[in-house]
Amino acid sequence: MKTKSTRRGDFLAQMNRIVPWEKILSKLSINYPKPTAKGGRPAKPLEVMLRIYFLQNGFNYADLSMEEALYDIPLLRQFTGVSVDAIPSDPTILHFRHWLEKHHLSESLFDVNATLD
């Protein structure tokens, strides 16, 4: 079965090559919420949320549009590593963006994002 290379697919492949995922994840994981003895709902995996954040910026998705795009576009789910039954809701996506802003982390991520076509 032959598949056609798309601009979106090419962009995501380029993002995977350029973005230093491990370096960014290690920096962000210091402040990322960890499970506590109190219980509660555990945070979504940091890498999934970070990849969603980059998709939002790369394709100009609002929170709700990002959630819907993850349901609609298998390529985006593949890039984020999330299955259909584990897609974060739009409030979860919003909370992640606010968490980045609260810890002044989003500014440094845009430097990497600006290098992509």
Side-chain angles (χ1 to χ4, degrees), residues 20-59:
W21 295 107
E22 293 304 318
K23 184 177 179 181
I24 295 171
L25 289 168
S26 66
K27 179 180 178 180
L28 296 181
S29 65
I30 296 167
N31 295 317
Y32 199 64
K34 298 179 180 44
T36 64
K38 290 182 181 180
R41 185 181 307 174
K44 294 285 185 182
L46 177 57
E47 185 170 359
V48 168
M49 296 308 297
L50 181 62
R51 287 175 174 269
I52 289 172
Y53 181 75
F54 271 81
L55 286 177
Q56 278 190 284
N57 286 286
F59 295 111

Side-chain angles (χ1 to χ4, degrees), residues 52 55-56 61-70 76 93:
I52 289 172
L55 286 177
Q56 278 190 284
Y61 284 120
D63 300 325
L64 180 57
S65 299
M66 184 72 251
E67 179 187 0
E68 291 174 350
L70 286 167
L76 299 184
I93 295 169

